[in-house]
Amino acid sequence: GLEETRLTEDGSLPATAADMARLLETIALGAAVSEAASKEMAALMALVGIGNQFLLSVSARYREIGTLKCLGASNQLIGMIYAIESLLLGSIGALIGGVVGPFLGSMMAGIISFQAVPLAFSVGLAIAFLAIWIPIAEVMRLPATSALRAEE
């Protein structure tokens, strides 16, 4: 386990190799936890941002949704339209991010790696798909008459 690294008697950094190794382990562990938290926070921010964008998209199209409902389109069909749109936009964004990301990372770290592109693409699609569920639920609850009365 990791032990607390003690300073030497004069308050300087550890002098022995074992103490220095423990200090480096502690720093590496802190960096790994910080990196994981940063990734989770970025994913959460993307989820909220994409969800907000689709919610605005749905509210801007109330009249079109009302027209589709009056013409006989089911809630499931309208929800499917938005789910497909979400997956298409999510796949475009994930593809751009998966290609541009390694290049930006190479500028920062000096190493270019495309090994994470499939994972980044999958996570981007999952975030886009999760973000659309609240707007889809709103579309399905929206009565046709109130959708047609909505102001633009």
Side-chain angles (χ1 to χ4, degrees):
L2 295 175
E3 299 174 12
E4 183 177 325
T5 304
R6 297 184 193 120
L7 296 176
T8 59
E9 293 170 3
D10 64 354
S12 63
L13 288 176
T16 66
D19 285 342
M20 186 58 79
R22 279 195 298 272
L23 177 63
L24 291 176
E25 281 182 14
T26 304
I27 291 170
L29 179 63
V33 168
S34 176
E35 180 184 0
S38 296
K39 288 177 183 177
E40 290 169 1
M41 185 58 73
L44 180 64
M45 289 173 37
L47 182 70
V48 169
I50 293 169
N52 185 43
Q53 183 61 38
F54 276 108
L55 198 55
L56 290 173
S57 174
V58 166
S59 65
R61 298 187 206 169
Y62 274 170
R63 298 191 115 187
E64 290 86 355
I65 293 167
T67 302
L68 286 172
K69 285 187 175 196
C70 286
L71 291 174
S74 67
N75 287 333
Q76 290 78 19
L77 176 64
I78 295 171
M80 183 73 71
I81 290 169
Y82 279 98
I84 291 170
E85 178 184 358
S86 167
L87 290 176
L88 285 174
L89 292 174
S91 64
I92 291 168
L95 187 63
I96 291 171
V99 172
V100 172
F103 286 111
L104 292 177
S106 71
M107 286 193 282
M108 296 165 118
I111 301 169
I112 188 163
S113 172
F114 287 101
Q115 293 174 341
V117 171
L119 177 63
F121 186 77
S122 301
V123 169
L125 278 180
I127 287 174
F129 195 68
L130 288 173
I132 192 65
W133 286 113
I134 291 174
I136 285 177
E138 183 178 326
V139 165
M140 290 182 172
R141 281 193 310 254
L142 186 66
T145 54
S146 64
L148 287 173
R149 278 189 246 135
E151 295 181 21
E152 293 186 26

